[in-house]
Amino acid sequence: MEKPRVGVFICECGGNISDVVDVKKVVKTASEWENVLVARHYTYMCSKPGVELIKQSIKKRELNRIVIACCTPKMHRKMFERNVGEEGINPAFLEIVNVREQCSWVHHGDNEGATQKAIDLIRGAVKKVENAVPLHPGKMPVKPAVLVIGGGIAGITAALRVAEAGIKVYLVEKEPTIGGHMAKYAKVFPTLDCAQCILTPKMGDVAENPNIELFTLAEVKAVEGVPGDFKVKIKLKPRGVDVEKCVGCGACNRVCPVETVSDFDEGLGKRKAIYIPFPQAVPSAYVIDFDSCTKCGKCAEKCPRKAINLEDTEKEIEINVGAIIVATGFKLFDLSDYGEYKYGMHPNVITALQMERLMNVAGPTSGAIVRPSDGGEVKKIGYILCAGSRDTNKGKPYCSRVCCLYATKQALMMREFMEGLDIWIHYIDLRAAGRRYEEFYKNAQIEGVKYVRGKVSEIIPDGDQLIVRAEDTMLGRPIENKYDLVVLCPPIVPSPDITKLAEILKIPLDEDGFVLEKHPKLDPVATKREGIFACGVITGPKDIQTSVSEAEGAAAKAINFLIQKEKIIEPNKAYLAVPEKCDACGECIEVCPTEAISIASEKVEINEILCNGCGACIPACPKEALDLKGLSEKQLMAEIEGILTGSESEIKILAFVENEIAYTALDLTGVARLSYPSSIRVIPVPSTSRLKLKHILYAFAKGADGIMFLEAPEHEGPFGKAHAIAEERIENYKFDIEDYDVDSIRLWFSKVYVPDWRKLVKVFETFDRMIKDEGPIEQEVRENILKQLSQETDT
Amino acid sequence: MDSTKPLIKIDEETSDFIAEILEKGAQIFPKEELERILTCIQCGTCYGSCPSGRITAYHVRVIMRKAQLGLKEEVLKDENLWNCTTCYTCQERCPREVETTDTIRLIRNMAFEAGYVKKPHLIVSRNFIETGHSIPLRDEDKEKRKRVGVSEIPPTTLTYPEALKEVQTLVEATGFKEKVLKLLEEG
């Protein structure tokens, strides 16, 4: 490697820096350091003349390393990177030292301390940049195709939107038709649109769109590869009917001797073993239910198109996609544990989904509402809302969000076609928080639907009727009401297939089993894994309108991800630096938050696309075989040494700060011009899980009197699990340093949220006072640590 | 409420009271206004605003709920009905625009017809039947009137006996007089 020729540039920031930091002294000191060929200060380094000054210096003195001391790198790093890049300087050879937010703005009144700290930080940066190696972002082609899993309204919408953008879509549905739950509904709230009328044209569009390849009776078996290039194995269950040949004449259905329970009718109706779920099904073809088919062969005999194959078998196909959208939807929670509701014990207690089929003109009773027990007349219906939702005892802790509205919808619809039908809705809180929803509820009240506030405690059968017991909490009195039919509104739970699917896709689920969003507020349709998106009820209970909006969002995200054609791979990743040391022990695999590490030919292999560069794997390696590009072992040690050696400060505290959240909080203390002791010197790290015991000991040996770790919280930080690993490690290091005669109180760990920035000042003041009380570490102790460290390195 | 049992058995002990109220008010109030009682969400703005409710057991929200449930007898027998001052604050503030005060007045009429009324109200009714005034004119009232510069006797039935005749014709024609006197007699 060529000899480093460093230029140091300090910005005065129009007095913002130079009023506190003695920039002349900084320049004078820096110019005396080895390898520093230029040291300059200027009023505004970010201005055109400032940038020109840097560029000219690079040219004239043939500089190959640049250190700029100015404001936070979050402000101008990209701009400086671009400009020095024009002079041939690799981004890895540029260091920004934050002497505004971390010196002049927080140590006003302590000019000497601020100046010393600025000098130390710049020295650290010079040492670090001297040890840098050039880094180049990688590129990988992106496969322009999307897999959509789930063919309900969310999956249909997402598939159509992606296909309309000219991108190939594979739509995978486990049922014999697409349409999902919405296909079972008669009408939808709050508009009371006919569900079939708005859904089936979209289903037709899926069938017609040349960019969409539809697989029904299909299941994702395995996903390999990386975001941008997934290889997906799909299992296709036998259909028994050739979709291309079948014209849907129904001759097969008429001769089939087997009758079984219709799952499409939620168990309320019967169907044949060869059937079509509903007339508008897509694909528009019959299907054999091989679980109940006796293979008598009558259907095959009758079929005029010879479309039936009773010996049809399972197949497996493989596809290649760049992005995946998960839209596997929901099912209703099983209420068998609720003895008090008599579900499954009394035929006249049904679920709301069963009610949808019962009241549907295309349903098992052609829309006639009759008592399932005896076919008798129904005069009075009771709805039980929160039958398991908002119940941490036996049900689900959350609100299922749509039940108040669909119960109201069903009630309104039935009252429209059954005059005098008396409908009571029992609720805990009536939640109608959606556009036009409160109005919908009010309209139902006017139409005579009755509401009782108070969760139903018990349902008592009385012949064909049912007595519902509850409190009317408005009056504070118990109430009893007798119904011909009771409709339960159970919790909406994620489709059970998601447990296995999430494992296959390597995406985390939340505590209720729904797909965890990348960020619940700001990135709601992205999953924690790049290139995989989710929409509809699989991310939480929601109405059709919101599911559709999410599907549009997920489609846009997927298109956005694929449109780049080539994916930039940031270079700051972990890698196996000393392959001969690796014995594939797998310790690093355990800690990796993105599952980027695998074992290949008895060595670990870090996938640079999956790796997020948190650095958590590096201390895990007992052989010290791993390293991190952009903040290598060499750079980190050099920076530690650079900051501490030669410093004239009495007490020196090194703070390793997580670079996103904690660092931003730290910047905010500067922006607010708060003040904290100048003993604190910051080294930004991707996550403090990057740090080994060795780094800490080395810092103590080289002059640190206290060391702090400011880490992002696990759920808010960019690296998830890595932030939790950091805390665990630091707690262990506290024990370890005692072996080297360093008191454990000299290590401090804090989790920092961005809004916590005010608290940081207290933290710094407290730790500074503690360390001052302790006094500097004795020279003998430092020398001893250094000796032991060099011994360990030798062995 | 002390005298009533807490358990409410819908249909067995309740009736479509709202329909009766709507019928009762049909001649005076537009149906679409009066039927807003169906949309009451029991938010409590009415009771929270009620000056009477702060010092008496009059609970307007509870009366609205009982009406919705059809607890007719309980509502009509509730003596607290008569503690409403008809100040209309609740009606002014109701977010669902329920005609609360007007509904209470209708319910009072129904209670009166059913014979549920408080004695002081019967006494003022008798005053009205006899003098055209529910509150008699006392000497100190005359004194006050004089002080503020108006005639000692107000220009009402007290000044115009022919007007009193008209009032008395009305109370007789509507059966009001007979009902009041009968109820007073029964105690």
Side-chain angles (χ1 to χ4, degrees):
Chain A
M1 169 122 21
E2 55 181 342
K3 195 173 157 49
R5 298 171 66 85
V6 186
V8 173
F9 300 88
I10 179 160
C11 178
E12 295 163 22
C13 199
N16 271 301
I17 292 169
S18 55
D19 286 352
V20 177
V21 174
D22 182 348
V23 295
K24 287 202 174 74
K25 188 180 174 188
V26 172
V27 163
K28 187 172 172 292
T29 312
S31 61
E32 286 163 7
W33 296 333
E34 197 194 348
N35 296 336
V36 174
L37 280 90
V38 179
R40 297 286 297 271
H41 63 90
Y42 185 69
T43 339
Y44 288 109
M45 212 53 93
C46 60
S47 68
K48 209 163 178 199
V51 172
E52 231 10 75
L53 169 72
I54 298 170
K55 287 174 119 176
Q56 287 306 319
S57 304
I58 296 170
K59 276 196 196 108
K60 279 188 193 147
R61 307 300 305 271
E62 293 176 350
L63 302 178
N64 58 18
R65 305 281 197 282
I66 304 298
V67 173
I68 304 171
C70 54
C71 55
T72 173
K74 312 275 178 206
M75 192 77 89
H76 290 312
R77 165 140 198 141
K78 287 280 167 212
M79 182 275 291
F80 284 129
E81 235 176 55
R82 197 177 62 244
N83 278 289
V84 301
E86 285 169 12
E87 300 304 322
I89 306 282
N90 184 278
F93 289 158
L94 169 70
E95 279 298 319
I96 305 286
V97 186
N98 186 353
V99 293
R100 192 179 72 178
E101 279 82 347
Q102 285 176 22
C103 291
S104 60
W105 274 0
V106 285
H107 307 317
H108 28 85
D110 178 15
N111 294 14
E112 210 174 299
T115 305
Q116 182 60 53
K117 177 173 165 182
I119 291 170
D120 292 352
L121 290 176
I122 295 167
R123 196 190 308 103
V126 168
K127 293 283 173 200
K128 183 185 173 193
V129 81
E130 281 175 1
N131 286 284
V133 291
L135 298 175
H136 301 282
K139 275 181 185 171
M140 64 162 276
V142 167
K143 180 78 194 165
V146 176
L147 164 67
V148 177
I149 311 171
I153 185 61
I156 288 172
T157 306
L160 285 172
R161 214 54 78 234
V162 173
E164 280 162 13
I167 295 170
K168 171 89 185 175
V169 176
Y170 299 97
L171 177 57
V172 167
E173 166 59 51
K174 68 173 190 301
E175 298 294 330
T177 174
I178 56 169
H181 279 104
M182 191 176 167
K184 298 180 179 181
Y185 306 156
K187 290 183 179 183
V188 289
F189 64 79
T191 48
L192 292 181
D193 278 319
C194 150
Q196 291 267 333
C197 310
I198 56 176
L199 173 69
T200 50
K202 280 181 180 288
M203 291 166 58
D205 289 348
V206 168
E208 294 301 317
N209 195 305
N211 285 334
I212 300 178
E213 202 167 322
L214 173 62
F215 300 107
T216 48
L217 294 165
E219 193 186 317
V220 172
K221 287 300 286 180
V223 174
E224 273 165 23
V226 293
D229 186 17
F230 291 114
K231 287 174 184 68
V232 184
K233 283 198 178 84
I234 297 167
K235 184 177 95 178
L236 301 173
K237 282 187 273 178
R239 187 180 186 101
V241 176
D242 187 330
V243 170
E244 299 300 322
K245 286 184 187 162
C246 175
V247 289
C249 68
C252 53
N253 180 273
R254 285 189 289 275
V255 294
C256 178
V258 182
E259 262 205 346
T260 182
V261 174
S262 162
D263 37 5
F264 189 77
D265 281 334
E266 295 289 324
L268 286 179
K270 292 239 155 73
R271 64 155 164 79
K272 299 287 184 66
I274 186 162
Y275 69 106
I276 189 161
F278 57 102
Q280 303 91 331
V282 169
S284 179
Y286 277 75
V287 55
I288 295 173
D289 165 12
F290 280 105
D291 288 336
S292 51
C293 171
T294 58
K295 297 197 179 181
C296 68
K298 282 186 182 150
C299 55
E301 241 168 66
K302 273 280 172 199
C303 178
R305 303 270 296 173
K306 300 282 165 247
I308 295 169
N309 174 12
L310 289 169
E311 302 311 318
D312 199 2
T313 51
E314 190 178 297
K315 290 175 197 70
E316 195 173 276
I317 55 158
E318 194 176 302
I319 57 167
N320 186 199
V321 296
I324 298 173
I325 296 175
V326 184
T328 52
F330 72 96
K331 73 175 204 98
L332 292 183
F333 180 73
D334 179 8
L335 288 175
S336 344
D337 274 354
Y338 282 81
E340 60 267 47
Y341 292 156
K342 308 294 183 293
Y343 182 68
M345 293 152 80
H346 195 290
N348 297 344
V349 179
I350 63 173
T351 69
L353 266 180
Q354 289 178 312
M355 191 64 188
E356 284 290 343
R357 295 312 297 156
L358 203 56
M359 64 194 293
N360 197 311
V361 285
T365 58
S366 303
I369 315 281
V370 291
R371 280 203 300 234
S373 63
D374 61 347
E377 195 190 352
V378 172
K379 289 182 186 153
K380 200 168 159 192
I381 301 176
Y383 276 84
I384 317 296
L385 288 168
C386 294
S389 295
R390 304 176 74 191
D391 179 352
T392 54
N393 188 351
K394 286 183 288 187
K396 293 290 166 186
Y398 50 82
C399 164
S400 290
R401 204 170 149 182
V402 289
C403 325
C404 289
L405 274 300
Y406 73 60
T408 298
K409 172 199 78 175
Q410 292 185 352
L412 264 175
M413 285 170 61
M414 283 187 285
R415 279 185 63 91
E416 202 178 327
F417 63 77
M418 286 175 74
E419 211 176 317
L421 184 65
D422 197 14
I423 303 176
W424 293 69
I425 295 178
H426 295 262
Y427 67 98
I428 301 176
D429 287 298
L430 213 296
R431 293 182 170 174
R435 185 80 186 100
R436 300 184 190 93
Y437 290 1
E438 180 66 21
E439 296 88 327
F440 188 67
Y441 161 44
K442 191 177 168 189
N443 182 42
Q445 288 180 305
I446 283 283
E447 293 301 326
V449 179
K450 299 186 186 94
Y451 292 84
V452 185
R453 186 177 179 278
K455 187 178 171 173
V456 168
S457 58
E458 202 176 353
I459 297 170
I460 303 149
D462 181 16
D464 287 317
Q465 290 185 305
L466 298 143
I467 297 165
V468 165
R469 274 193 185 156
E471 180 188 349
D472 183 313
T473 61
M474 298 302 180
L475 294 182
R477 287 165 65 180
I479 189 165
E480 274 185 15
N481 218 337
K482 202 186 265 185
Y483 302 114
D484 298 303
L485 196 58
V486 167
V487 184
L488 301 174
C489 304
I492 282 176
V493 295
S495 170
D497 317 331
I498 195 64
T499 320
K500 208 171 128 210
L501 188 60
E503 246 173 66
I504 292 170
L505 297 172
K506 294 181 184 152
I507 54 170
L509 303 177
D510 70 12
E511 64 277 20
D512 298 311
F514 292 103
V515 170
L516 192 65
E517 311 94 328
K518 187 166 182 197
H519 191 284
K521 290 272 157 205
L522 302 180
D523 214 347
V525 296
T527 69
K528 290 277 182 186
R529 193 168 177 208
E530 194 185 9
I532 302 184
F533 310 96
C535 57
V537 184
I538 199 59
T539 59
K542 57 181 64 79
D543 54 20
I544 291 169
Q545 182 194 355
T546 316
S547 290
V548 168
S549 303
E550 280 191 356
E552 305 268 7
K557 294 282 278 193
I559 294 165
N560 215 6
F561 182 71
L562 298 182
I563 212 161
Q564 52 186 334
K565 299 211 166 53
E566 273 188 329
K567 202 162 89 100
I568 304 286
I569 305 158
E570 291 300 331
N572 300 13
K573 303 294 173 75
Y575 70 110
L576 182 56
V578 199
E580 56 275 21
K581 280 189 181 172
C582 175
D583 60 2
C585 70
E587 295 280 343
C588 52
I589 298 174
E590 292 293 307
V591 297
C592 177
T594 60
E595 300 184 39
I597 313 178
S598 55
I599 291 174
S601 8
E602 286 170 37
K603 300 277 176 212
V604 297
E605 198 176 72
I606 302 178
N607 185 307
E608 60 172 349
I609 302 163
L610 291 178
C611 172
N612 60 18
C614 69
C617 57
I618 295 163
C621 178
K623 301 284 173 3
E624 298 208 72
L626 302 177
D627 207 346
L628 184 68
K629 288 178 186 163
L631 186 61
S632 67
E633 287 297 289
K634 236 171 140 180
Q635 282 178 289
L636 190 53
M637 297 291 263
E639 189 175 11
I640 291 169
E641 192 202 352
I643 289 176
L644 297 167
T645 310
S647 173
E648 287 166 22
S649 284
E650 198 187 331
I651 291 285
K652 291 179 286 288
I653 293 168
L654 216 48
F656 292 100
V657 178
E658 177 275 324
N659 201 19
E660 289 292 325
I661 292 185
Y663 196 93
T664 302
L666 196 62
D667 275 350
L668 289 173
T669 60
V671 173
R673 309 294 205 281
L674 302 181
S675 175
Y676 58 79
S678 62
S679 56
I680 315 290
R681 282 148 171 74
V682 169
I683 295 184
V685 287
S687 147
T688 59
S689 63
R690 161 74 182 88
L691 298 161
K692 297 177 179 175
L693 179 63
K694 187 174 89 176
H695 304 133
I696 290 147
L697 291 170
Y698 189 64
F700 281 130
K702 287 292 172 180
D705 301 298
I707 299 179
M708 307 184 81
F709 304 87
L710 303 183
E711 185 58 56
E714 186 177 359
H715 294 292
E716 282 77 5
F719 303 129
K721 194 173 90 175
H723 305 294
I725 290 170
E727 182 170 14
E728 204 183 300
R729 284 206 184 127
I730 309 309
E731 288 308 318
N732 285 332
Y733 294 161
K734 283 186 187 171
F735 286 101
D736 299 337
I737 60 168
E738 299 262 356
D739 295 344
Y740 297 82
D741 291 328
V742 181
D743 199 309
S744 65
I745 68 159
R746 291 185 189 268
L747 284 196
W748 178 293
F749 180 89
S750 274
K751 272 187 195 163
V752 182
Y753 294 77
V754 172
D756 273 356
W757 52 275
R758 278 176 199 281
K759 193 185 86 179
L760 275 179
V761 171
K762 266 249 143 46
V763 168
F764 288 147
E765 279 172 351
T766 308
F767 192 58
D768 178 72
R769 202 174 319 115
M770 276 166 58
I771 297 302
K772 280 195 176 124
D773 289 348
E774 286 288 308
I777 293 175
E778 288 162 33
Q779 200 50 39
E780 200 190 321
V781 174
R782 296 197 201 276
E783 276 162 22
N784 191 36
I785 295 173
L786 209 56
K787 210 156 72 197
Q788 291 196 48
L789 277 178
S790 63
Q791 276 169 6
E792 277 165 28
T793 316
D794 290 345
T795 57
Chain B
M1 209 163 74
D2 295 333
S3 58
T4 49
K5 65 183 174 80
L7 177 65
I8 302 165
K9 286 190 169 182
I10 299 293
D11 289 344
E12 286 177 39
E13 296 163 3
T14 61
S15 61
D16 198 348
F17 187 31
I18 299 271
E20 281 185 63
I21 295 170
L22 295 185
E23 202 190 318
K24 184 84 194 155
Q27 286 178 319
I28 318 165
F29 304 104
K31 180 172 175 277
E32 62 272 22
E33 287 176 19
L34 211 50
E35 74 178 2
R36 288 183 202 135
I37 186 174
L38 287 165
T39 73
C40 171
I41 45 174
Q42 295 283 292
C43 67
T45 308
C46 49
Y47 185 44
S49 305
C50 181
S52 171
R54 260 169 260 158
I55 50 170
T56 73
Y58 171 59
H59 197 318
V60 55
R61 173 181 67 77
V62 164
I63 293 172
M64 294 299 129
R65 182 61 187 155
K66 285 180 177 171
Q68 282 184 330
L69 284 177
L71 291 163
K72 182 182 168 186
E73 283 305 298
E74 246 185 84
V75 172
L76 296 189
K77 280 182 187 165
D78 185 354
E79 285 198 352
N80 288 300
L81 263 185
W82 303 96
N83 287 333
C84 170
T85 64
T86 65
C87 70
Y88 279 89
T89 311
C90 55
Q91 188 160 325
E92 288 286 321
R93 292 179 182 167
C94 174
R96 290 284 218 204
E97 296 180 83
V98 176
E99 308 273 331
T100 44
T101 314
D102 290 333
T103 304
I104 291 294
R105 292 175 59 201
L106 286 168
I107 293 172
R108 278 181 176 181
N109 285 350
M110 293 164 87
F112 174 75
E113 278 165 18
Y116 305 123
V117 62
K118 286 182 95 173
K119 194 158 184 196
H121 288 81
L122 288 174
I123 292 167
V124 296
S125 297
R126 188 175 57 195
N127 288 344
F128 180 69
I129 292 161
E130 285 170 357
T131 66
H133 273 258
S134 45
I135 312 292
L137 189 69
R138 297 162 305 174
D139 286 346
E140 58 256 53
D141 299 326
K142 290 182 189 165
E143 208 38 52
K144 268 185 209 156
R145 292 183 63 87
K146 209 170 145 189
R147 228 180 312 139
V148 299
V150 294
S151 62
E152 275 184 39
I153 311 280
T156 61
T157 47
L158 297 179
T159 309
Y160 305 103
E162 62 274 28
L164 181 60
K165 275 242 153 51
E166 286 177 21
V167 169
Q168 285 173 341
T169 309
L170 277 171
V171 295
E172 267 173 42
T174 53
F176 182 69
K177 183 178 173 182
E178 191 189 357
K179 185 93 185 170
V180 169
L181 296 180
K182 190 172 161 242
L183 286 170
L184 270 171
E185 207 171 289
E186 287 166 7

